[in-house]
Amino acid sequence: MTAAAHLPGAETPDGPEIQPRGARRGLTGYVLLLPGGLWLALFFVVPTVVLVATSLYDPSGSLQLGYRMTGHWQNYVDAVRDYSDQILRSLLYALAATGAAILLGYPLAYAIAFKAGRWKNLMLVAVIAPFFTSFLVRTLSWQYLLGDNELIVSALQWLNVLGEGGRLMNTPFAVVTGLTYNFLPFMVLPLYASLEKIDHRLVEAAADLYASPATAFRLVTLRLSMPGLVAGSLLTFIPSAGDYINAQLLGSPNTRMVGNEIQALFGAGDYPTASALSVALMVTIVTMVAIYVRRAGTEDLL
Amino acid sequence: MTRFGRWLAGHVVLVVGLLVLLYLCVPVLVVILMSFNDPASRNSYTFDGFTLDNWLNICDPYQLCSSVSLSLRIGLLATLAATVLGTLMAFAMVRHRFRGRSAANLLVFLPMATPEIVMGSSLLALFVNAGFAAQLGFWTILVAHVLFCLSFVVVTVKARLAGLDPALEQAAADLYANEWQTFWRVSFPLVFPGILAAALLSFSLSFDDFIITNLNAGQEVTFPMFVWGAAQRGIPPQINVIGTIMFVLALTAVLLGELGSRRRAARR
């Protein structure tokens, strides 16, 4: 888990640990930490180990007959070979949703931080308002919005953007729209938090030094908002890559994502392959996140 | 020109922002609209006519109300457990010295960075390997929900606690309050808004969860699982009634909280 060490919440592993100001010595700290820590160890760390172990079971076993632990690495080869389309599609959709969330979320976060004035709190409530109702019920309403004879499709057909009989529902576009919609607040909130902290005098100073508004934005605002942008991208990309609700409710058999397959394999009782696919997904995500965080140069900012 | 250009640029951002906000809020309006829908057939998800029937017969679809009740029970218990465990951890992490701080931080952070499908499948792998395959149900759902709520509670309460000056607690100790009195009279009231926010977040995470629950639920059906099943068979408009009720309740709670904090700020 080298990537995780660079993410927020993790502190430098080497060197003496920095204890917070006013921290008290004694046993109380350990006692307070114990119940929650045990819960996390027992139901997060142990299951992760069990998942990896299960991914190496002999696939000829079954739930009724039991499995034998045979170090069956072939499970990974089979899982990645059989489901490479779904894995690639998941990563592609998640990347598209993250890109769309940046394009939509940045102006919104910027507007809330700098332009909203006394409407700031109201706009923030509107950003989290979708959370007040169920994820699945909201996703279903996209079935209506993107439906064949509804406003959006009719308008696009009238504009000749969509051909006669063209559809939006059950297309990759619908799935990415749903993913973007569902995870957009996770992009907007961290972006807003880091934009709001920016001292506006820095942007003015850039203007005084003859930077055009675009240059000032690129060199000052954008750079200072990088921690929010990186955090928001991770909070959008990671859940999108594992999601299968949008693919199922808004997509078609041709838009199945890796989550659909993992769920289906567990449902069919093929635990070794399902576990191997799940571990493969996790490893892929961690690798991509590590590269991204390094490229963005935000290791020390986070 | 440059002044006008800047004015326009500023307002373009605001207009784009408001359009994005519209994108975020339109589906909620559809949920409210659809709660009054009188569908022509089971399989169509179009607005066919206005009716109040759905609101008068919420429990008509088989298992709808029992699934809501299950989600409420799980949500309340998971919120309670995660809030207590998470608050204790947050206090330890901000106010106490201990070895293994970075390990503890990592342990809290990792569940938030794990995709739900991976977390759900590893829990299922654990339960099945431990011989609980036949006992999947209420308790396994609860264990999973406490797990994924816990990290969010720790992070939320920690943020609130880190913003408080430890000198306040030291002052209480200087005035001969013992640790117990200091906690209940000083720390707890000051951190309470953070704990409340964490509890609300936990409840909404728990009530909303589908992917992890679906893997670990056995024969039980929570509200999101009911919606999932309904989406395959034909969607009863009553699920939109439940969605609307949840939305109105949560919005009222947030607005009341906002009003309360404004009033308290005004009194100071």
Side-chain angles (χ1 to χ4, degrees), chain A residues 1 4-5 7-13 17-26 28-30 32-33 35-37 39-48 50-51 54 57 63 104 107-108 110-111 115-116 121 123 125-127 129-138 140-145 150 177 180-181 184-185 238 242-245 248-249 259 262-263 266 271 275 278 281-282 285, chain B residues 10 13-14 16-18 20-21 23-28 30-31 33-34 45-47 85 88-89 91-102 104-111 113-115 117-119 121-129 133 143 146-147 150-151 165-166 169-170 179 204 208 210-211 214-215 223-224 227-228 231-232 235 239-240 243-244 246-247 250-251 254 258 262:
Chain A
M1 291 287 163
L7 295 170
E11 283 158 21
T12 46
E17 291 177 327
I18 304 146
Q19 303 284 353
R21 200 166 58 93
R24 275 164 271 169
R25 289 168 191 286
T28 323
Y30 294 97
L32 295 177
L33 211 51
W39 197 280
L40 287 169
L42 196 59
F43 298 119
F44 183 76
V45 179
V46 174
T48 307
V50 174
L51 182 74
T54 308
Y57 283 178
L63 203 53
L104 296 175
L108 177 55
Y110 190 93
K115 307 286 171 194
N121 278 352
M123 283 177 85
V125 170
V127 170
F131 290 142
F132 297 166
T133 188
S134 164
F135 184 101
L136 275 107
V137 178
R138 272 184 288 136
L140 279 178
S141 53
W142 283 102
Q143 281 194 0
Y144 168 76
L145 286 166
E150 305 299 337
T177 303
T180 309
Y181 164 74
L184 186 56
I238 296 173
D243 181 81
Y244 64 87
I245 297 172
Q248 178 80 25
L249 296 183
I262 297 175
Q263 167 68 38
F266 273 116
Y271 285 75
S275 303
S278 200
L281 172 68
M282 188 67 202
I285 289 177
Chain B
V13 175
L14 192 61
V16 173
L18 287 174
V20 176
L21 216 49
Y23 169 70
L24 275 172
C25 291
V26 161
V28 177
V30 172
V31 172
L33 174 76
M34 283 302 195
Y45 204 54
T46 54
F47 193 78
L85 294 180
L88 294 180
M89 280 187 93
F91 265 93
M93 292 170 95
V94 180
R95 287 288 187 261
H96 292 273
R97 283 168 184 274
F98 59 92
R99 278 166 189 280
R101 175 171 296 277
S102 29
N105 275 320
L106 193 62
L107 194 60
V108 168
F109 169 72
L110 277 180
T114 308
I117 185 81
V118 176
M119 195 193 270
S121 37
S122 45
L123 269 170
L124 179 61
L126 172 78
F127 290 139
V128 168
N129 275 286
V143 162
V146 174
L147 174 68
L150 189 53
S151 297
D165 193 344
E169 287 151 353
Q170 281 156 10
E179 277 213 30
S204 76
D208 228 18
F210 174 73
I211 295 181
N214 193 33
L215 281 166
F223 177 64
V227 177
W228 179 262
Q232 328 289 327
I235 305 154
I239 63 168
N240 292 300
T244 308
M246 281 163 61
F247 180 75
L251 193 65
V254 168
E258 180 76 5
R262 279 204 187 166

Side-chain angles (χ1 to χ4, degrees), chain A residues 250-263:
Chain A
L250 305 174
S252 68
N254 295 324
T255 62
R256 282 172 75 84
M257 292 167 73
V258 67
N260 297 75
E261 304 299 344
I262 297 175
Q263 167 68 38

Side-chain angles (χ1 to χ4, degrees), chain B:
Chain B
M1 175 59 211
T2 47
R3 258 185 92 174
F4 176 71
R6 237 177 263 164
W7 181 89
L8 190 69
H11 287 257
V12 164
V13 175
L14 192 61
V15 170
V16 173
L18 287 174
L19 285 176
V20 176
L21 216 49
L22 192 68
Y23 169 70
L24 275 172
C25 291
V26 161
V28 177
L29 298 179
V30 172
V31 172
I32 298 172
L33 174 76
M34 283 302 195
S35 75
F36 296 104
N37 187 23
D38 189 6
S41 80
R42 274 174 73 86
N43 294 317
S44 73
Y45 204 54
T46 54
F47 193 78
D48 299 323
F50 180 88
T51 179
L52 285 174
D53 282 357
N54 312 318
W55 283 84
L56 300 172
N57 308 301
I58 299 178
C59 287
D60 263 10
Y62 173 65
Q63 269 197 337
L64 173 60
C65 283
S66 64
S67 72
V68 173
S69 140
L70 177 66
S71 281
L72 284 175
R73 278 177 287 150
I74 300 251
L76 289 173
L77 289 176
T79 301
L80 187 68
T83 308
V84 171
L85 294 180
T87 304
L88 294 180
M89 280 187 93
F91 265 93
M93 292 170 95
V94 180
R95 287 288 187 261
H96 292 273
R97 283 168 184 274
F98 59 92
R99 278 166 189 280
R101 175 171 296 277
S102 29
N105 275 320
L106 193 62
L107 194 60
V108 168
F109 169 72
L110 277 180
M112 293 190 292
T114 308
E116 282 190 69
I117 185 81
V118 176
M119 195 193 270
S121 37
S122 45
L123 269 170
L124 179 61
L126 172 78
F127 290 139
V128 168
N129 275 286
F132 287 111
Q135 279 89 38
L136 289 177
F138 188 87
W139 295 104
T140 50
I141 302 177
L142 190 59
V143 162
H145 283 214
V146 174
L147 174 68
F148 66 69
C149 292
L150 189 53
S151 297
F152 286 95
V153 174
V154 176
V155 170
T156 312
V157 178
K158 247 176 92 175
R160 173 84 193 178
L161 201 50
L164 291 181
D165 193 344
L168 291 169
E169 287 151 353
Q170 281 156 10
D174 289 346
L175 296 166
Y176 302 105
N178 60 31
E179 277 213 30
W180 190 247
Q181 290 167 323
T182 309
F183 176 79
W184 284 113
R185 300 266 177 89
V186 180
S187 320
F188 184 77
L190 286 170
V191 183
F192 184 71
I195 299 177
L196 192 66
L200 288 175
L201 182 63
S202 292
F203 186 80
S204 76
L205 286 173
S206 164
F207 200 90
D208 228 18
D209 182 75
F210 174 73
I211 295 181
I212 296 176
T213 313
N214 193 33
L215 281 166
N216 293 290
Q219 302 299 315
E220 297 283 349
V221 177
T222 62
F223 177 64
M225 292 172 70
F226 175 87
V227 177
W228 179 262
Q232 328 289 327
R233 295 188 305 266
I235 305 154
Q238 279 89 344
I239 63 168
N240 292 300
V241 176
I242 304 283
T244 308
I245 294 174
M246 281 163 61
F247 180 75
V248 170
L249 285 181
L251 193 65
T252 315
V254 168
L255 293 181
L256 282 181
E258 180 76 5
L259 212 67
S261 67
R262 279 204 187 166
R263 206 169 277 172
R264 247 173 285 135
R267 228 185 287 146
R268 249 170 235 156

Side-chain angles (χ1 to χ4, degrees), chain A residues 11-265:
Chain A
E11 283 158 21
T12 46
D14 15 60
E17 291 177 327
I18 304 146
Q19 303 284 353
R21 200 166 58 93
R24 275 164 271 169
R25 289 168 191 286
L27 272 177
T28 323
Y30 294 97
V31 175
L32 295 177
L33 211 51
L34 193 68
L38 271 182
W39 197 280
L40 287 169
L42 196 59
F43 298 119
F44 183 76
V45 179
V46 174
T48 307
V49 175
V50 174
L51 182 74
V52 175
T54 308
S55 73
L56 298 173
Y57 283 178
D58 183 355
S60 60
S62 74
L63 203 53
Q64 287 76 34
L65 300 171
Y67 286 104
R68 278 183 307 128
M69 176 68 188
T70 51
H72 203 86
W73 290 98
Q74 189 65 29
N75 284 339
Y76 281 90
V77 179
D78 293 345
V80 171
R81 188 194 56 220
D82 292 350
Y83 299 106
S84 57
D85 284 358
Q86 285 85 345
I87 295 175
L88 280 178
R89 198 178 288 137
S90 294
L91 299 177
L92 209 63
Y93 288 178
L95 282 176
T98 309
I102 293 175
L103 289 180
L104 296 175
Y106 207 104
L108 177 55
Y110 190 93
I112 298 176
F114 300 129
K115 307 286 171 194
R118 59 203 193 87
W119 300 106
K120 190 182 265 188
N121 278 352
L122 194 68
M123 283 177 85
L124 280 173
V125 170
V127 170
I128 57 163
F131 290 142
F132 297 166
T133 188
S134 164
F135 184 101
L136 275 107
V137 178
R138 272 184 288 136
T139 308
L140 279 178
S141 53
W142 283 102
Q143 281 194 0
Y144 168 76
L145 286 166
L146 300 177
D148 284 340
N149 299 310
E150 305 299 337
L151 189 66
I152 298 175
V153 169
S154 305
L156 290 177
Q157 281 174 341
W158 182 72
L159 288 167
N160 276 334
V161 176
L162 272 180
E164 197 72 26
R167 340 183 39 200
L168 289 177
M169 258 308 284
N170 310 113
T171 61
F173 176 82
V175 180
V176 174
T177 303
L179 287 171
T180 309
Y181 164 74
N182 276 315
F183 301 113
L184 186 56
F186 294 107
M187 176 65 78
V188 174
L189 295 177
L191 261 180
Y192 163 76
S194 65
L195 281 170
E196 212 232 351
K197 272 189 259 167
I198 294 176
D199 186 343
H200 217 72
R201 285 173 304 183
L202 292 171
V203 185
E204 283 163 19
D208 289 346
L209 296 167
Y210 303 105
S212 69
T215 313
F217 173 79
R218 190 167 52 83
L219 291 180
V220 180
T221 314
L222 188 61
R223 288 214 180 160
L224 288 173
S225 64
M226 273 314 263
L229 196 62
V230 171
S233 319
L234 298 185
L235 288 175
T236 314
F237 178 77
I238 296 173
S240 299
D243 181 81
Y244 64 87
I245 297 172
N246 288 283
Q248 178 80 25
L249 296 183
L250 305 174
S252 68
N254 295 324
T255 62
R256 282 172 75 84
M257 292 167 73
V258 67
N260 297 75
E261 304 299 344
I262 297 175
Q263 167 68 38
L265 284 166

